[in-house]
Amino acid sequence: MAEGIISDLVAKSLVSLGKPAFKEVVSWWGARDDLKKLENTMTFIQARVCDAERRQEGENSELIKLWLRKLKQVLYRADDLFDHVLTLDRQNMRVERSTLAKVSILFSKSGPFFNNRKLAHEIKSIRKELDAIKSDMDGLNLSANLVAGLPLPMERLISNRQTASFVKVEDVIGRENDKNIIIGMLFDPKFDDGKRITVIPIVGFGGLGKTTLAQLIFNDEIIRKHFHLTEWVCVPEVGDQNTIMRRVYQSFTGDKDSDRLLVGQIKSGIQKSIKDKKYLLVLDDIWDESRDSWLDLLNLLGCGASGSRVIVTTRSANVAKVVGTTEAHNLGLLTTEESWNLFKQFSFNLKQEESNPILTIFAKEIVDSCGNVPLAIRVVGGLLYSVNSEKEWQRIRNARLSKTKLKEDNNIMQVLKLSYDYLSPPLKQCFAYCSLFPKDYSYYKNHLVRFWMAQGYFDPSSSEIGEQYYMELLGRNLFHNPEFSEEGNIIFCEMHDLVHDLAQDIAGEEMKLLVEPSNLITTDGVMHVSVEVEWLENAGWEAPVSLLAARKLRSLRLFSFDWINNTSIIKASSLEMMVLKFQCLRVLNLMGMKIFVVPNTVGKLRHLRYLNLAWNDRIRSIPDDVTRLENLQTRTSVVASYWISCQEVLANWPT
């Protein structure tokens, strides 16, 4: 899991340790000292885990990754413990106040006397494991109290991400219409409307060619003649407006030694350079969403002549709203024909296409897997340009091209990952969770938000936060193609294949989308699984042993594309076995499995937040034991076709 997530898990653990429910637990069996030691150890680790996350690809990277993996597993175990304690606390609050009831529950296996003894032992065990992790940390030379910032790979990428204004026109295919639209906006006086400056945002996810389009416009001869000044500035930093101002100053004045100047001198230098001049300024790769910072820069740029223009390229629709004075130009994918022409330009040697028709067949399939994304096509084309072997072309064709290429050359991954790196830790988890769904999936907002809420990625008391997270992913172009209701609300979005590959790469071993669950080789660290279940005639699907070994699963999502057969897709005995094995589940999605019976053992899933039984038409009732599901966050988490027969059970559900 990527930067920021484990430090967030540590922070959540410390919050849980401070809750009043734990004061009752530590009063039993001498656990008070263990709890205090546990808190001290976590605090010590928290001060250094941020540095460990930043250094996952630097010196001692393999040791650091191993250390973080061990830490994460213990943190998840601690989270289960904390959740159990809070659940018991809610149960005890509802206990009848009679003396008989108190005595009965006190000495039962579900009562506080028994559970506190068991939980105190678990606290001691977790504390010892964290002590060992703390001891292992000493050899990693981690810095304490590191201020959160860009991960090291991000810093290296930014240093290599400096863009220039030049582009070879013959290398660009499929952007002529976009170019003409933007040039029209540069010349059209209606965009002035009394303003001294017009800001035109170009928006799209990484790899679409925003910078390339801006370069085409910037270097057009008509543009050069129209403006007195044309300058290009690459500004990938976030939250450092002074650096941006210095770069703008350097571009307009040619003074590269601006570090010696005060901010006031920088500002006056910019104003002096552009005063009463009609200029075009390109700000490439803007990330800062702070309106105050932008307004400060805009005030400086406003002293140019009427008709001055600023073009901003960004991946974030939020940035476009903040900086733009016009509607953003959303850059789309290439057409199939444009993708093919671009690929030919970068992959085929002279007349290679004509002389080898077999390569042409392979090539068209390879281009199709690039998803019409220019950067993907260019990088893959560059790889194949020096490959003459049909066997090698076939090997690349047969592989999942995008992921194969990302492993061979991190260029695409790094570019796409920039959008991910700037997400908050909870949003990073939300994005990675999207890897559990297949490509071309429609991510319905209401459903996805409930999945996230069940995992604790945001406070369940406010579903608005989850909707904000969803819109944030859309705004950063990690989702695209939104579908709107008649009222103008977003119903669902899609995810581009390359972005989906990024989500799977980020999720790593923790989240698995399985078409063949028997291919699950190792279960260490697997926390979330989505399984495609195939209907077998006269025999229901049975969970393989490899899947049942993943005892710490927090999500189990079963899905099937068989909508014709009416018999149960999954064996009842196998479903019951999975429920018994996966006691840490927060999400259990059995939608469309055509089951007849809901196992009584579902009532033992004390951590369960989300249960979906939709499209199981033959369910006639829900067992009474499901009323034990203390943590289900909403009753709409349970959906059954025969709703009336379930009303009595639902009426007894804990609120």
Side-chain angles (χ1 to χ4, degrees):
M1 193 63 73
E3 300 83 5
I5 291 179
I6 298 179
S7 56
D8 191 54
L9 289 174
V10 178
K12 287 181 178 178
S13 295
L14 287 171
V15 170
S16 297
L17 284 170
K19 290 186 176 180
F22 289 95
K23 295 180 181 179
E24 182 179 353
V25 174
V26 298
S27 65
W28 295 86
W29 307 102
R32 189 186 304 274
D33 290 341
D34 283 308
L35 193 66
K36 185 62 178 177
K37 291 176 182 177
L38 177 62
E39 187 173 6
N40 290 339
T41 302
M42 279 197 175
T43 302
F44 188 86
I45 291 174
Q46 184 188 37
R48 291 159 177 80
V49 72
C50 183
D51 189 30
E53 290 179 308
R54 286 164 53 90
R55 290 172 51 189
Q56 289 184 77
E57 296 184 25
E59 187 179 356
N60 295 328
S61 61
E62 291 305 316
L63 288 175
I64 289 174
K65 287 178 181 178
L66 177 62
W67 183 81
L68 286 171
R69 190 155 53 244
K70 289 180 179 178
L71 174 60
K72 183 171 62 176
Q73 290 176 358
V74 178
L75 289 173
Y76 277 131
R77 183 180 163 194
D79 184 59
D80 289 338
L81 168 67
F82 301 151
D83 191 54
H84 188 189
V85 171
L86 293 174
T87 301
L88 288 174
D89 185 59
R90 286 194 299 272
Q91 287 177 337
N92 293 335
M93 289 177 64
R94 291 201 310 273
V95 169
E96 293 182 15
R97 300 303 179 184
S98 68
T99 304
L100 181 60
K102 286 183 179 180
V103 172
S104 173
I105 292 175
L106 181 66
F107 292 100
S108 71
K109 286 192 174 183
S110 62
F113 189 91
F114 179 85
N115 277 294
N116 281 332
R117 183 176 186 179
K118 181 179 178 181
L119 295 175
H121 176 76
E122 181 72 356
I123 289 174
K124 185 185 292 289
S125 175
I126 290 173
R127 192 260 301 168
K128 288 182 178 179
E129 286 196 45
L130 282 176
D131 284 344
I133 288 173
K134 176 184 172 184
S135 178
D136 292 340
M137 183 176 64
D138 295 338
L140 300 177
N141 298 319
L142 300 177
S143 300
N145 298 319
L146 188 69
V147 177
L150 297 177
L152 289 180
M154 179 70 173
E155 292 169 348
R156 288 197 294 270
L157 179 56
I158 280 182
S159 66
N160 295 325
R161 179 76 179 101
Q162 304 305 318
T163 61
S165 60
F166 177 73
V167 65
K168 293 173 66 175
V169 176
E170 59 270 23
D171 287 347
V172 182
I173 291 175
R175 294 306 183 199
E176 195 64 29
N177 185 53
D178 297 285
K179 173 187 172 183
N180 291 335
I181 291 174
I182 300 296
I183 288 179
M185 297 173 73
L186 294 178
F187 288 169
D188 196 334
K190 77 175 183 181
F191 289 102
D192 296 332
D193 193 26
K195 299 187 292 289
R196 301 283 286 181
I197 184 173
T198 299
V199 183
I200 304 170
I202 300 175
V203 183
F205 65 80
L208 277 182
K210 301 180 297 298
T211 298
T212 300
L213 174 60
Q215 289 166 332
L216 275 178
I217 297 164
F218 185 86
N219 289 289
D220 193 283
E221 190 64 29
I222 298 176
I223 297 297
R224 295 284 185 168
K225 292 179 179 179
H226 181 75
F227 293 96
H228 301 139
L229 287 173
T230 54
E231 298 297 338
W232 181 283
V233 179
C234 181
V235 283
E237 284 83 6
V238 171
D240 189 0
Q241 197 66 11
N242 288 337
T243 300
I244 295 176
M245 284 188 184
R246 289 182 188 278
R247 292 195 179 185
V248 172
Y249 169 84
Q250 291 171 356
S251 182
F252 278 130
T253 65
D255 181 6
K256 303 303 180 184
D257 189 22
S258 62
D259 291 339
R260 56 184 170 76
L261 301 178
L262 300 175
V263 174
Q265 293 173 305
I266 294 290
K267 291 182 177 181
S268 62
I270 292 174
Q271 291 177 322
K272 183 178 179 180
S273 299
I274 64 175
K275 185 174 177 58
D276 297 326
K277 295 178 182 178
K278 185 164 62 175
Y279 65 86
L280 170 65
L281 174 64
V282 176
L283 297 177
D284 187 41
D285 210 13
I286 287 282
W287 293 88
D288 196 344
E289 298 180 359
S290 169
R291 181 162 181 79
D292 290 339
S293 297
W294 174 250
L295 288 176
D296 195 18
L297 179 59
L298 193 63
N299 288 334
L300 287 177
L301 298 175
C303 65
S306 179
S308 294
R309 299 286 191 266
V310 176
I311 294 176
V312 168
T313 69
T314 180
R315 299 185 192 190
S316 172
N318 296 331
V319 170
K321 289 178 182 178
V322 169
V323 306
T325 62
T326 70
E327 187 174 343
H329 181 80
N330 292 290
L331 196 59
L333 300 169
L334 297 179
T335 65
T336 301
E337 182 180 0
E338 290 166 347
S339 296
W340 174 241
N341 290 334
L342 182 62
F343 182 82
K344 286 194 298 182
Q345 186 167 314
F346 282 89
S347 62
F348 284 124
N349 292 316
L350 185 62
K351 295 186 178 181
Q352 188 180 28
E353 177 191 4
E354 299 173 4
S355 63
N356 195 332
I358 294 178
L359 290 188
T360 301
I361 294 173
F362 291 157
K364 289 189 174 181
E365 294 176 353
I366 291 171
V367 171
D368 183 61
S369 67
C370 285
N372 296 325
V373 177
L375 179 60
I377 295 168
R378 290 167 66 104
V379 174
V380 174
L383 167 69
L384 292 170
Y385 185 82
S386 58
V387 177
N388 295 316
S389 165
E390 291 181 9
K391 188 175 182 179
E392 282 300 299
W393 279 63
Q394 185 177 23
R395 181 185 65 82
I396 295 174
R397 187 279 310 267
N398 291 340
R400 288 186 66 242
L401 175 64
S402 54
K403 289 190 74 70
T404 300
K405 184 56 199 167
L406 293 179
K407 292 182 182 300
E408 294 172 355
D409 183 342
N410 283 329
N411 191 20
I412 299 175
M413 178 64 79
Q414 286 183 328
V415 172
L416 294 177
K417 191 172 178 290
L418 274 172
S419 291
Y420 169 84
D421 284 330
Y422 281 104
L423 300 177
S424 64
L427 255 180
K428 287 180 177 180
Q429 296 179 86
C430 291
F431 174 71
Y433 201 84
C434 294
S435 66
L436 291 174
F437 304 89
K439 288 187 175 182
D440 300 321
Y441 182 79
S442 296
Y443 292 88
Y444 281 82
K445 183 175 65 175
N446 290 341
H447 292 173
L448 190 58
V449 166
R450 288 181 185 175
F451 282 123
W452 292 341
M453 183 168 66
Q455 298 303 330
Y457 296 158
F458 61 89
D459 188 343
S461 64
S462 178
S463 61
E464 289 82 5
I465 296 177
E467 293 188 9
Q468 290 172 12
Y469 284 173
Y470 187 96
M471 297 305 295
E472 180 79 4
L473 293 179
L474 175 61
R476 292 182 180 273
N477 290 290
L478 295 172
F479 285 147
H480 71 159
N481 292 344
E483 181 73 19
F484 293 89
S485 66
E486 293 181 358
E487 294 77 20
N489 299 317
I490 290 179
I491 304 173
F492 65 82
C493 291
E494 298 173 352
M495 181 176 282
H496 191 272
D497 285 356
L498 290 179
V499 179
H500 189 275
D501 285 338
L502 172 64
Q504 289 189 320
D505 191 77
I506 293 297
E509 295 300 315
E510 184 170 321
M511 302 179 187
K512 291 292 185 182
L513 172 62
L514 302 173
V515 177
E516 293 290 342
S518 58
N519 292 340
L520 186 63
I521 299 174
T522 176
T523 59
D524 290 344
V526 178
M527 296 291 175
H528 310 276
V529 168
S530 187
V531 182
E532 181 179 343
V533 177
E534 183 180 358
W535 180 80
L536 302 174
E537 189 174 1
N538 300 323
W541 179 84
E542 193 167 358
V545 175
S546 58
L547 178 61
L548 293 174
R551 301 290 293 270
K552 296 299 182 182
L553 279 189
R554 292 176 160 230
S555 299
L556 177 62
R557 176 181 174 269
L558 304 180
F559 67 97
S560 174
F561 296 111
D562 188 328
W563 304 107
I564 300 175
N565 297 288
N566 291 321
T567 56
S568 180
I569 295 177
I570 182 172
K571 277 187 177 181
S573 58
S574 184
L575 176 58
E576 186 163 7
M577 178 61 70
M578 285 191 290
V579 172
L580 284 171
K581 292 284 187 180
F582 305 146
Q583 289 295 298
C584 297
L585 284 178
R586 270 72 173 166
V587 167
L588 177 58
N589 191 339
L590 302 174
M591 184 172 69
M593 289 294 101
K594 302 176 184 176
I595 59 176
F596 293 73
V597 178
V598 179
N600 287 328
T601 48
V602 169
K604 297 182 181 294
L605 299 176
R606 58 174 173 252
H607 301 292
L608 196 66
R609 265 84 172 159
Y610 180 99
L611 174 63
N612 195 334
L613 302 174
W615 300 348
N616 289 287
D617 295 348
R618 299 196 177 189
I619 294 177
R620 291 298 188 272
S621 63
I622 296 178
D624 291 342
D625 282 353
V626 296
T627 59
R628 296 180 182 178
L629 297 175
E630 290 273 345
N631 289 308
L632 272 185
Q633 289 156 338
T634 60
R635 290 183 181 180
T636 52
S637 295
V638 181
V639 184
S641 299
Y642 289 86
W643 188 257
I644 295 177
S645 64
C646 304
Q647 282 185 342
E648 184 176 348
V649 172
L650 293 173
N652 296 322
W653 215 289
T655 58

